[in-house]
Amino acid sequence: MIYLVRHGETYANINKLFVSKSDDHLTQDGIKQAKMLARYFINKSIDSIISSPTRRTVETSMIVQEMLKCELSVDDNLIERDYSILDGMTRKDLLMWREGRKLSNIDYSQDWEEVPEVETDEAICKRVMPLLDHYLR
């Protein structure tokens, strides 16, 4: 069985920033969340953890790995969506950027999807699916 989990809270999460290439440490709450995650998995059969290379994800994974005493590896294919020019921006920054580019007809529920430089869902699937296929065999 494969479990997909998200990293613990970071300062960028608190500040509601788009984050891909820039990286951040876990907050104290993020560390607590990682410990809670480990406790959730403590009675499950976990052989290994495969982590994104981001600091926030490795920190989360290391906390879980230490409590579960399992293997930990890092795979670059699990990296966060590349938000490109939006990296480090807030949604308010995005709206201001968008007004400057006259992109007011965009659906604001998924406001980043219309920025051409942002990695698409299709590109993410092409990057991640071979890894999942490998572990599902």
Side-chain angles (χ1 to χ4, degrees):
M1 181 169 295
I2 293 178
Y3 297 94
L4 299 175
V5 297
R6 189 170 188 270
H7 59 79
E9 179 188 71
T10 68
Y11 296 100
N13 295 141
I14 291 171
N15 294 310
K16 300 183 185 325
L17 301 177
F18 289 99
V19 177
S20 51
K21 292 177 185 165
S22 61
D23 209 355
D24 202 358
H25 288 284
L26 297 179
T27 63
Q28 288 302 313
D29 281 343
I31 293 168
K32 288 177 191 173
Q33 292 166 350
K35 290 177 180 178
M36 287 174 39
L37 179 65
R39 284 192 290 277
Y40 173 81
F41 285 114
I42 201 81
N43 292 320
K44 300 192 184 311
S45 179
I46 304 297
D47 299 321
S48 64
I49 298 169
I50 307 163
S51 175
S52 158
T54 61
R55 180 183 304 136
R56 58 193 177 266
T57 308
V58 170
E59 286 178 359
T60 301
S61 298
M62 288 176 68
I63 292 167
V64 174
Q65 183 256 346
E66 182 179 314
M67 291 179 77
L68 299 183
K69 308 293 186 221
C70 61
E71 292 181 32
L72 171 61
S73 61
V74 173
D75 192 302
D76 290 343
N77 289 311
L78 293 177
I79 193 76
E80 175 76 34
R81 175 190 303 271
D82 183 357
Y83 284 110
S84 186
I85 62 173
L86 302 182
D87 196 33
M89 284 188 179
T90 64
R91 291 201 184 276
K92 182 178 178 182
D93 294 334
L94 171 59
L95 295 176
M96 291 170 56
W97 174 85
R98 183 174 275 137
E99 284 179 19
R101 300 226 5 209
K102 308 284 189 254
L103 299 175
S104 59
N105 60 338
I106 294 171
D107 173 9
Y108 290 101
S109 64
Q110 294 294 326
D111 48 11
W112 50 265
E113 289 184 343
E114 296 293 329
V115 178
E117 296 87 351
V118 173
E119 185 178 22
T120 65
D121 290 347
E122 181 180 349
I124 294 169
C125 288
K126 284 182 181 178
R127 177 167 46 84
V128 174
M129 289 310 293
L131 177 70
L132 291 177
D133 286 344
H134 171 77
Y135 286 101
L136 289 172
R137 290 181 187 189

